[in-house]
Amino acid sequence: MNTNKIKHIGVFTSGGDSPGMNAALYAIAKSAEVNDIKVSGFLKGYEGLIDGDLIPFKSHELKKITQKGGTILKTARSKRFLELEGRKKALQTLKANKIDALIAIGGDGTFRGLLAFSEICDIPFIGIPGTIDNDISGTDYTLGFDSAVNTAIENIDKIKDTAESHNRIFIVEVMGRDSGYIAIHSGLTTGADAILIPESGKDFIYLLNKVKNYNNEEAFLVVVSEGDELGAELVASKIKEINSDVDLRITRLVHVQRGGNPSAFDRMLGIRMGVAAIESLLQGKKNVMVGISHNQLHLTSFKEVVKQHQVNNELYELLELFGK
Ligand code: F6P
């Protein structure tokens, strides 16, 4: 029985969709229902908040979508919410619908939005990290990262078959706007010869050393993060400067990585984080994001969460070792 003053929660997904968001939505609906709290879902992220575009949530309907990728609430990157005018409209929506807490699932831009919103709106906000990029401080894993890496791996394995058949160099570009996590995980686990990420300054030097010794008689796989400062085209032309005889192709995996059914890990993470978000509200928490470290859920303030993410040292060391 919910004795807390929270009676009606609003929830939305924002930024790039990521597999596992739907599982989190189901868990939020279920946990709220058990605690006698009404839940409404805002459509298209902050846009729905501004326009008052909302739908009621029922857990028995949502359990059918736990296994589905994307987000049933739809999502957007809202320019209007960046303006105070947009945030004021969103505040009116919350008041008009008597919403006394908000849960947002999204990336760092989403949490920056909530921080700005907290200056004019004092109801509690809870965040759930949902982005395939895994670039959020305060959690070891974001929702969707594991699924995206699995999709990348599945595709890179296929590319390797054809690369090996033709003794070609393949440069595979994976997603990650400012983050090399998908590249590191998918590159290491597919036996890439070189991995290029935005966070490293040495990776290109390792690549050039390897290319100097490349004899065109085997496959050579480069996994490059889209956020890398060089990018696939420039890397390709640098390789050709060293060895003009190479047979080279570029493949971009792009949005394929964002879609598809969530992995078991992301479904479970969504369910755990969704329930934790409701429990945090019941415990009176506000302006914090649910994260996971050492397989334990914990809360981190939005102010910490929006700080620049770091690739951990162990991963750097792996990159050095396998880059040589
Ligand atoms: O959601 C994260 C992400 O997929 C990044 O990896 C990528 O850079 C960006 O979103 C692409 O965004 P959009 O789909 O809006 O082009």
Side-chain angles (χ1 to χ4, degrees):
M1 174 69 182
N2 170 29
T3 52
N4 194 286
K5 61 182 187 318
I6 293 174
K7 302 282 178 238
H8 187 186
I9 294 174
V11 59
F12 63 96
T13 50
S14 171
D17 57 289
S18 65
M21 283 182 163
N22 285 330
L25 294 176
Y26 164 57
I28 288 166
K30 178 72 186 173
S31 176
E33 207 168 85
V34 169
N35 285 290
D36 216 9
I37 300 170
K38 182 177 163 193
V39 181
S40 295
F42 288 97
L43 298 173
K44 292 193 265 168
Y46 285 116
E47 291 290 297
L49 215 55
I50 294 170
D51 295 332
D53 203 359
L54 73 170
I55 54 169
F57 256 32
K58 294 273 169 278
S59 77
H60 67 275
E61 286 165 9
L62 293 180
K63 75 176 169 197
K64 295 179 201 141
I65 49 107
T66 309
Q67 81 286 359
K68 280 177 88 70
T71 161
I72 54 146
L73 282 182
K74 307 202 180 273
T75 186
R77 303 186 195 278
S78 173
K79 289 208 172 71
R80 288 192 293 162
F81 199 77
L82 296 175
E83 307 295 330
L84 181 60
E85 205 46 44
R87 298 198 288 276
K88 280 185 179 164
K89 280 195 179 144
L91 180 60
Q92 281 163 15
T93 301
L94 294 180
K95 283 185 179 157
N97 290 282
K98 295 194 169 59
I99 286 180
D100 29 41
L102 261 188
I103 299 175
I105 310 176
D108 55 347
T110 306
F111 304 131
R112 276 199 192 90
L114 285 182
L115 260 183
F117 199 26
S118 68
E119 286 167 16
I120 60 163
C121 175
D122 67 357
I123 66 168
F125 303 148
I126 302 287
I128 292 179
T131 164
I132 63 166
D133 287 359
N134 208 38
D135 59 348
I136 305 209
S137 302
T139 190
D140 287 349
Y141 293 101
T142 56
L143 262 187
F145 168 67
D146 183 66
S147 309
V149 169
N150 278 301
T151 301
I153 287 173
E154 196 186 321
N155 284 284
I156 295 172
D157 286 345
K158 289 177 180 162
I159 289 165
K160 275 187 84 173
D161 288 345
T162 174
E164 279 161 9
S165 305
H166 287 264
N167 289 341
R168 276 179 174 156
I169 293 189
F170 259 87
I171 300 177
V172 181
E173 187 188 273
V174 295
M175 270 188 164
R177 180 177 284 149
D178 303 306
S179 157
Y181 269 98
I182 297 177
I184 296 172
H185 285 247
S186 61
L188 285 175
T189 55
T190 53
D193 298 282
I195 300 168
L196 303 180
I197 60 166
E199 298 93 336
S200 168
K202 292 193 203 154
D203 46 12
F204 187 56
I205 299 167
Y206 294 145
L207 165 68
L208 292 184
N209 285 338
K210 281 190 175 173
V211 169
K212 277 178 198 150
N213 299 319
Y214 176 67
N215 57 11
N216 300 346
E217 283 173 16
E218 57 189 351
F220 190 94
L221 173 67
V222 183
V223 174
V224 53
S225 170
E226 65 168 337
D228 184 72
E229 62 281 11
L230 288 174
E233 296 289 348
L234 200 54
V235 171
S237 63
K238 298 270 180 202
I239 292 175
K240 282 183 180 160
E241 272 173 29
I242 296 175
N243 184 341
S244 55
D245 292 335
V246 291
D247 189 7
L248 184 151
R249 297 287 186 277
I250 296 174
T251 300
R252 293 194 167 83
L253 297 185
V254 292
H255 292 78
V256 164
Q257 295 156 96
R258 281 229 303 251
N261 292 351
S263 63
F265 181 85
D266 279 330
R267 294 179 199 197
M268 199 55 204
L269 190 62
I271 286 170
R272 291 176 72 188
M273 286 182 163
V275 170
I278 295 290
E279 282 172 0
S280 305
L281 285 173
L282 291 174
Q283 287 159 12
K285 304 285 194 272
K286 64 188 297 192
N287 300 345
V288 288
M289 183 197 79
V290 180
I292 187 162
S293 302
H294 313 294
N295 201 23
Q296 299 290 316
L297 296 176
H298 59 89
L299 302 173
T300 306
S301 74
F302 290 147
K303 285 193 179 127
E304 286 300 312
V305 161
V306 297
K307 286 183 181 163
Q308 180 81 23
H309 87 283
Q310 306 286 339
V311 169
N312 76 40
N313 283 341
E314 189 213 332
L315 286 184
Y316 269 130
E317 283 165 19
L318 288 179
L319 270 188
E320 298 247 326
L321 182 81
F322 288 93
K324 286 178 184 158

